[in-house]
Amino acid sequence: MSDSEFDLIQDFFSGLDQGASVRLGIGDDAAALSLPEGHLLHISTDTAVEGVHFLASLPPADVAYRSTMAAASDLAAMGAAPLALLLSLTLPEADRVWLEGFYRGLAEVCNALGVPLVGGDTTRGSLSLTVTVLGSTPADRFLTRSGAQPGDRLCVSGTLGDAAAGLAVLSEQLAVDESVAAFLTTRYKRPAARLALGEALRSCATSCIDVSDGLLADAAHVATASGVGLEIDSVLLPLSEAMGSLADSERSLNWALAGGDDYELLFTLPSSMPLPSGCTEMGRVVAGSGISCDRTPERIGYDHFRR
Amino acid sequence: MSDSEFDLIQDFFSGLDQGASVRLGIGDDAAALSLPEGHLLHISTDTAVEGVHFLASLPPADVAYRSTMAAASDLAAMGAAPLALLLSLTLPEADRVWLEGFYRGLAEVCNALGVPLVGGDTTRGSLSLTVTVLGSTPADRFLTRSGAQPGDRLCVSGTLGDAAAGLAVLSEQLAVDESVAAFLTTRYKRPAARLALGEALRSCATSCIDVSDGLLADAAHVATASGVGLEIDSVLLPLSEAMGSLADSERSLNWALAGGDDYELLFTLPSSMPLPSGCTEMGRVVAGSGISCDRTPERIGYDHFRR
């Protein structure tokens, strides 16, 4: 193959740029998109660096899938419907096999999200990806971190800690049965942004954030933004069957409290509102500040510069 | 200072997120922006890697300014008015002095562009920046690379080759008088995206691209996208007084033809349309394909994977 930057982009990324909102896709100086009338645009960008945000051994399809889904999770936290994405890829060499795997994962995640890839850049350097996601909501109906009120119920979707345990399996820090390993590693490699839930929460939740840095770290962002305290009951944390099967329950609880990368939604609900299906109430909003939990994990959250 | 990722973002980047279009700035999962009614959104993203796209010795304020202006130049090429930008910064360490310099340049370029910085990410790794720019145009009035027609005039704004010569000065490949050096290096370090010209060209140009890879390389993109040929008269290329003063006129011409980073606009005009002020007609659109020029430079364009 020709290894020129332009050919790379042409060959690998230009087939995913079709969609109802796309007026101009890949190949010009910028993409052009239409937004539903009266809607707001929501936009977020996330960089994933090899060795920091994902294992060097992770197959390229999973690198593409996981990084893109992680970025889309920020739209779920706003209650936004995804509109399009852009991908900037920096890689040390133009390796066709690697790029083909990466493209497969990218096509899969675009399909799962139902969005076109409308732009990007390909540059030479250490492997990293920056994914920019665009979404939309009606102008006055979106979620933020800042609306939690004392008396609200603190809730979370799905189960917690699976991705962190899956990462431990992949990095040979945890040995488990094949079926448990498959579940946990899939939760790490193929997360699912809770986009439908996010949209549903627009009509009931008072605040929302996605669990990317770890439950306690992300809950702390909500507490700070809302000017409230959050109380978490560790016994109520939703654990998957796989997590429940692990021998070291202390370690599981640590992952549930402090492991990142689950991409579930943490949200607050007025007490009058019914709990959405698939979600768990595991605490409450109180007057005050900060997080209180009956258990303290070994490492709170995830912070690149403290690692 | 605390060197945590969150503090970095809070401390350094959260002061630039105010603007008429901003409904929600930095600090939540995504930013929320409003678009003028009936307008299209234009979006583009560019990654700049230290040692590939900018010299390791470039001061951080210039890194921020130059990379952001280069990204905004893609909006100029579409005829779009800039709306907002996002910046993902990957850096090896949380160096306060470096970050303060970087922030200064970023604040300057946001001010020059009149746009807010509404989001981003800060991660650890080799130094690189990904800048995402958003702009808007009326729904049916934007520029592309694909509308050039045989008979159109081929035109360019400003002067060509200055940035490449400036880079040669900075990397000690070219020794010149202080005032000439100051002009050329400023053209490299502090480019000016031709946004006002881009907006004006919406009503007259048939195609447009910004000169980022080098005149011949970018002209080739227009020729391919439009399905036409482009003829360039080297004697008509606009050179600055500084470039005209250089001893080696062959080298100057090479920079004008093949040097990148000028961020001028290359556009085609129907013969009936007057040339905008500050622009030069230097060729024509013909039936056929490819670029023809009476001179061949040593190196055509700029390509990371061929370097």
Side-chain angles (χ1 to χ4, degrees):
Chain A
M1 75 184 270
S2 155
D3 62 359
S4 98
E5 155 180 48
F6 308 110
D7 292 345
L8 271 180
I9 297 170
Q10 291 300 128
D11 288 358
F12 283 97
F13 300 133
S14 65
L16 302 172
D17 69 348
Q18 302 302 304
S21 65
V22 181
R23 285 290 302 275
L24 194 66
I26 288 179
D28 218 294
D29 285 277
L33 298 171
S34 60
L35 203 64
E37 207 155 319
H39 276 222
L40 281 182
L41 175 75
H42 295 265
I43 183 161
S44 175
T45 193
D46 272 311
T47 298
V49 178
E50 184 185 49
V52 178
H53 301 88
F54 58 89
L55 299 169
S57 60
L58 200 65
D62 294 330
V63 170
Y65 197 101
R66 191 176 175 282
S67 305
T68 304
M69 199 54 96
S73 177
D74 283 326
L75 294 179
M78 307 300 290
L83 194 67
L85 57 91
L86 294 91
L87 171 75
S88 286
L89 178 62
T90 302
L91 71 174
E93 53 183 355
D95 176 333
R96 183 175 201 121
V97 173
W98 193 94
L99 277 164
E100 281 173 352
F102 187 86
Y103 180 84
R104 255 199 327 279
L106 192 59
E108 282 180 76
V109 73
C110 283
N111 188 52
L113 292 168
V115 296
L117 176 77
V118 298
D121 198 3
T122 313
T123 51
R124 178 170 220 148
S126 316
L127 182 61
S128 74
L129 300 72
T130 297
V131 180
T132 302
V133 290
L134 294 96
S136 73
T137 64
D140 289 307
R141 290 185 53 197
F142 58 90
L143 301 167
T144 67
R145 301 175 177 182
S146 56
Q149 297 289 331
D152 286 351
R153 305 153 80 183
L154 182 64
C155 310
V156 71
S157 65
T159 56
L160 293 171
D162 299 321
L167 179 59
V169 171
L170 289 171
S171 54
E172 300 180 0
Q173 313 278 307
L174 175 67
V176 288
D177 287 355
E178 206 172 306
S179 68
V180 170
F183 173 82
L184 295 175
T185 56
T186 299
R187 285 276 285 164
Y188 173 77
K189 295 189 292 188
R190 299 285 168 137
R194 302 298 180 197
L195 288 154
L197 176 64
E199 289 193 60
L201 290 176
R202 288 201 310 242
S203 59
C204 56
T206 52
S207 75
C208 189
I209 193 170
D210 68 320
V211 181
S212 55
D213 295 320
L215 178 68
L216 292 175
D218 291 312
H221 292 316
V222 171
T224 302
S226 296
V228 297
L230 297 178
E231 291 180 357
I232 293 171
D233 297 327
S234 69
V235 72
L236 298 180
L237 294 181
L239 298 187
S240 64
E241 209 176 307
M243 284 288 277
S245 77
L246 303 183
D248 186 345
S249 65
E250 183 75 13
R251 204 174 175 200
S252 300
L253 188 62
N254 273 339
W255 280 325
L257 284 168
D261 299 331
D262 284 317
Y263 303 109
E264 298 295 344
L265 294 181
L266 177 71
F267 56 97
T268 54
L269 277 186
S271 56
S272 58
M273 286 289 174
L275 191 68
S277 135
C279 298
T280 303
E281 178 177 350
M282 27 60 86
R284 66 207 64 81
V285 183
V286 296
S289 67
I291 307 300
S292 78
C293 180
D294 53 304
R295 297 288 288 272
T296 311
E298 285 161 12
R299 182 171 71 86
I300 295 183
Y302 177 78
D303 187 324
H304 311 300
F305 284 97
R306 281 188 181 137
R307 255 205 156 172
Chain B
M1 72 183 272
S2 154
D3 62 359
S4 98
E5 155 181 48
F6 309 110
D7 293 345
L8 273 180
I9 297 171
Q10 292 299 128
D11 289 358
F12 282 97
F13 299 134
S14 66
L16 302 172
D17 70 348
Q18 302 302 305
S21 66
V22 181
R23 285 290 301 275
L24 194 65
I26 287 178
D28 219 295
D29 285 278
L33 298 171
S34 59
L35 205 63
E37 206 154 319
H39 276 223
L40 280 182
L41 176 75
H42 296 265
I43 183 161
S44 174
T45 193
D46 273 310
T47 299
V49 178
E50 185 185 49
V52 178
H53 301 88
F54 58 89
L55 298 170
S57 61
L58 201 65
D62 294 330
V63 171
Y65 197 100
R66 191 176 174 282
S67 305
T68 303
M69 198 54 96
S73 178
D74 284 324
L75 295 179
M78 306 300 290
L83 196 67
L85 59 91
L86 294 90
L87 171 75
S88 284
L89 178 62
T90 302
L91 70 173
E93 54 182 353
D95 176 331
R96 183 175 203 123
V97 172
W98 193 93
L99 277 164
E100 282 173 352
F102 188 86
Y103 180 84
R104 252 198 331 277
L106 190 59
E108 281 180 77
V109 73
C110 283
N111 188 52
L113 291 168
V115 295
L117 176 77
V118 298
D121 198 3
T122 313
T123 52
R124 176 170 222 149
S126 315
L127 183 60
S128 75
L129 299 71
T130 297
V131 180
T132 302
V133 290
L134 295 95
S136 72
T137 65
D140 291 307
R141 289 184 54 197
F142 58 92
L143 300 167
T144 68
R145 300 175 178 182
S146 58
Q149 296 289 332
D152 286 350
R153 307 154 79 183
L154 182 64
C155 311
V156 70
S157 63
T159 56
L160 293 170
D162 299 321
L167 179 59
V169 171
L170 289 172
S171 52
E172 300 180 1
Q173 313 277 308
L174 176 66
V176 287
D177 287 354
E178 205 171 307
S179 69
V180 171
F183 173 83
L184 295 175
T185 56
T186 299
R187 285 276 285 164
Y188 174 77
K189 295 188 292 186
R190 299 285 169 136
R194 300 299 180 198
L195 289 153
L197 175 63
E199 289 192 61
L201 289 177
R202 287 201 311 242
S203 59
C204 56
T206 53
S207 74
C208 188
I209 193 171
D210 67 322
V211 181
S212 55
D213 295 321
L215 178 67
L216 293 175
D218 291 312
H221 293 315
V222 171
T224 302
S226 296
V228 297
L230 297 177
E231 291 180 356
I232 294 171
D233 298 326
S234 69
V235 72
L236 298 180
L237 293 180
L239 299 186
S240 63
E241 207 174 309
M243 284 287 278
S245 76
L246 302 183
D248 185 345
S249 64
E250 183 76 12
R251 203 174 176 200
S252 298
L253 189 60
N254 273 338
W255 280 324
L257 283 169
D261 298 333
D262 282 319
Y263 303 109
E264 297 297 344
L265 294 182
L266 177 70
F267 56 96
T268 55
L269 275 186
S271 56
S272 58
M273 287 287 174
L275 191 68
S277 134
C279 298
T280 303
E281 179 177 350
M282 27 59 85
R284 65 205 67 78
V285 183
V286 296
S289 67
I291 306 300
S292 78
C293 180
D294 53 304
R295 295 291 286 273
T296 311
E298 286 159 13
R299 183 171 70 86
I300 296 184
Y302 177 78
D303 186 324
H304 310 301
F305 284 97
R306 280 188 181 139
R307 255 204 156 171

